[in-house]
Every structure is written in structure tokens, then in C-alpha cells.
Amino acid sequence: MATIKEIAKLAETSISSVSRVLNSSGYVSEPVRKRIQKVLDETGYRPNALAKALHSKRSQTIGVILPKINATSSGDNIAGIDQYFANNGYSIILGNTNHSIKSELEFLDLFAEKQVDGIILIATTITSEHKEKIRKVGKPVVVMGQSTTDGTPCVLFDEVTAVEEIIDYLVASQHRNIALIGVSESDVSVGVKRKQGYLNSLEKHGLPISADMMVNGEFSVESGYTACQELYEERMQRPDAIFAANDKMAIGAITYLLEHGFKVPEDVSVCGVGGGNMSRYYNPKITSLVYDFEESGKTSAHLLHMLIEKPDLDLNDHVSFIPYHLEVRDSTAPKLS
């Protein structure tokens, strides 16, 4: 490969001019810039990444902390983040936490040590320890999926309003005994806000709120199955509709119902959140709140990139809400009288 000195000789210019073009810094006249670029293209010259990073004081890498690397939502998030940053000359490093708060905190330290230019935290929760780590990390941080109270910019779905909408739909379909399969309230967005949307809708329609109709899972198909089993075998009331806080738990609930002689949706309507391929191609196709996780990834990447490029930019307390929509499929239907 040619050296920078040889590039300058071939382009009939100075080494400093070639350096300015390579690092997008300083003035170079347009004719000279074109000559340099032509030689770079012809020789296939690529600057040493480490040398460029030392010169610009940037690593051109982004740390992404995610809760579950094999989750559909995580894959879509990463696709959006990677597409945006690849188009802007960055690479991403992934930190998979398996829903461990301890691992989230450790990755914040690790990525700071690795000199990444910024961090996207797809958080399971935001604790006082998270806030302290983010304050000390010394890098721009954007949080996805959870609200922040320390000024860190975040990207969210309007969980409460979205769930109100899907429960309103079930009520309009004449369902009156609507159960919730939620998750632990340590996850504020899913465990607290989605539950609040459920409760808001029941209250709005004057329907009874019963602890017997609320159980928790752990995001997985297996936990959805077990939660549905608890509803039908250990609780006093039997639901005519089930809202699960994600599509995997909805699939688990449907599996239990079908195995135990119930018809979906004729006997019980079941719906979830996510709207990805798993729910779209399951039989029956699952009615779901469709969240555009890839778009949330792109939006988070764009916010972080702005903070990297403009360190004085004030995005304190900024919140971006990502659109969603309700997609009615085959797992729900009006209740038969």
C-alpha cells in the first residue's frame, strides 16, 4: 500500500494537504482536494485506523449495551444503530447483559476504558447507580427504552397510551374479563407503564380491577405459558381476553390455551406487544402493538452522533417518542355472546 508521502507525490501536493483531506480538517483548495481524492481512489489507500484515532482523538467506535442479544427487539435496535453509524464511518461494539443490572453497570465502565466515542444503553431499568456511572463515564450517553431523571437524553415508546389503545380495542370487542400477563415492576417501561395503561383503560370503561386477573412472566414463551396456567388453574376468575406485555409471552399463553382445549380467538382473545416476525407468522397470527425498534435504533444513533459532533449541544432532558400502531390479526375477535 502507498504511503502518505507517495500519495502527496502522485497528487503533486504537500503531505500536510493530504493529511487535511484524510482527516477532514483544515483548508484545501477544491482542485487539490480532487487530485488527492483521485489518487486515493486509484491506489486504494486507507489511513491506519489507530493513527487516525490518535490524530482526531476519536476511536470511531460506539458502545451499545443491550439486554438480550437474541431478542427480536434487540436485533432490530442494533440494525438501526449499525446502519446509521456505518453510514457515518463508525463501528459498534456490543455488550450483552442478559437482563443483568450488574452487567449494565460493568459495561458502562468497560466501554469508557475502551475509549469509545459514545454509548447507547438499551436499559432494563435506571437506578441511582446507573445515573452515577453515566455521570462519571465522561462520554455522551443515550438511553433507549427507559425514562431518565438525570437529564440523559432518551428514546421511548409511549407505553401507557399504547396499552390503553389495545385494551380499548378489546373492550370494544365486548371483552369484559381482561387479564394481564406483565413483568416485574423493576422494569419501569414494561412492568409499570404497560400495567398502568391496562389499569387506565379498565377504569375508563368502568370495568372491575382484580388482582386475580394480573400475573407476571419474565418475557419468555415459557413464562407466558406458566403465567396463563396460573390464571386458569389457580385464580378464581377466568379471562375472556389476555393482554401479554410482549409477544413471546402471548405465544406462551396461546400454547397453554390450545393444549387445554380452548380455541383462540373463539374462546379467548390474546394480544401482545412487539409486532415482529414471530407474532406475524405464528398460528394464529398475533394481534399486537407494532413497535418500530429499528427506527428507535436509528433515532438513538442520530442523537448520540449529534452529541459527539457538537459537545456543547444541549440535549438535557430530551425525549424522542417513536411511533407505534395497533395491528389486529387472527388471535383476537369480538366476543361471541
Side-chain angles (χ1 to χ4, degrees), residues 83-266:
Q83 180 183 338
Y84 179 91
F85 277 118
N87 289 340
N88 286 277
Y90 287 79
S91 300
I92 62 172
I93 306 173
L94 302 181
N96 181 34
T97 69
N98 286 310
H99 291 285
S100 164
I101 294 173
K102 181 173 179 284
S103 293
E104 288 182 353
L105 299 171
E106 289 172 349
F107 273 118
L108 284 168
D109 285 336
L110 179 64
F111 284 154
E113 291 170 7
K114 286 188 173 296
Q115 296 296 306
V116 298
D117 295 330
I119 298 170
I120 293 176
L121 170 60
I122 307 173
T124 54
T125 188
I126 296 293
T127 66
S128 57
E129 290 176 285
H130 284 86
K131 295 172 189 175
E132 184 66 13
K133 291 281 187 187
I134 290 169
R135 186 181 68 81
K136 289 181 175 179
V137 78
K139 306 286 180 181
V141 176
V142 171
V143 171
M144 291 178 64
Q146 299 288 344
S147 300
T148 59
T149 57
D150 61 348
T152 304
C154 57
V155 176
L156 304 169
F157 293 98
D158 189 349
E159 304 284 6
V160 175
T161 303
V163 175
E164 282 185 28
E165 184 175 328
I166 201 168
I167 304 300
D168 288 350
Y169 155 73
L170 291 174
V171 174
S173 299
Q174 305 307 310
H175 296 288
R176 295 296 179 266
N177 296 316
I178 303 169
L180 166 70
I181 299 178
V183 299
S184 166
E185 294 189 5
S186 62
D187 185 323
V188 175
S189 284
V190 180
V192 175
K193 292 185 178 179
R194 291 184 192 175
K195 180 179 180 180
Q196 190 59 54
Y198 164 81
L199 296 173
N200 287 356
S201 182
L202 294 186
E203 185 176 10
K204 176 171 60 179
H205 294 287
L207 297 177
I209 294 171
S210 170
D212 263 0
M213 301 292 277
M214 291 180 270
V215 292
N216 276 355
E218 296 177 347
F219 292 99
S220 66
V221 173
E222 294 81 4
S223 71
Y225 185 102
T226 303
C228 191
Q229 182 177 31
E230 182 177 344
L231 282 170
Y232 281 85
E233 297 181 15
E234 299 179 23
R235 302 300 176 94
M236 299 294 292
Q237 296 174 277
R238 282 196 166 186
D240 56 27
I242 297 172
F243 165 68
N246 77 342
D247 287 339
K248 283 188 175 181
M249 293 193 296
I251 288 172
I254 292 172
T255 302
Y256 172 86
L257 292 168
L258 296 178
E259 285 182 1
H260 289 80
F262 295 93
K263 295 178 181 178
V264 178
E266 292 87 349

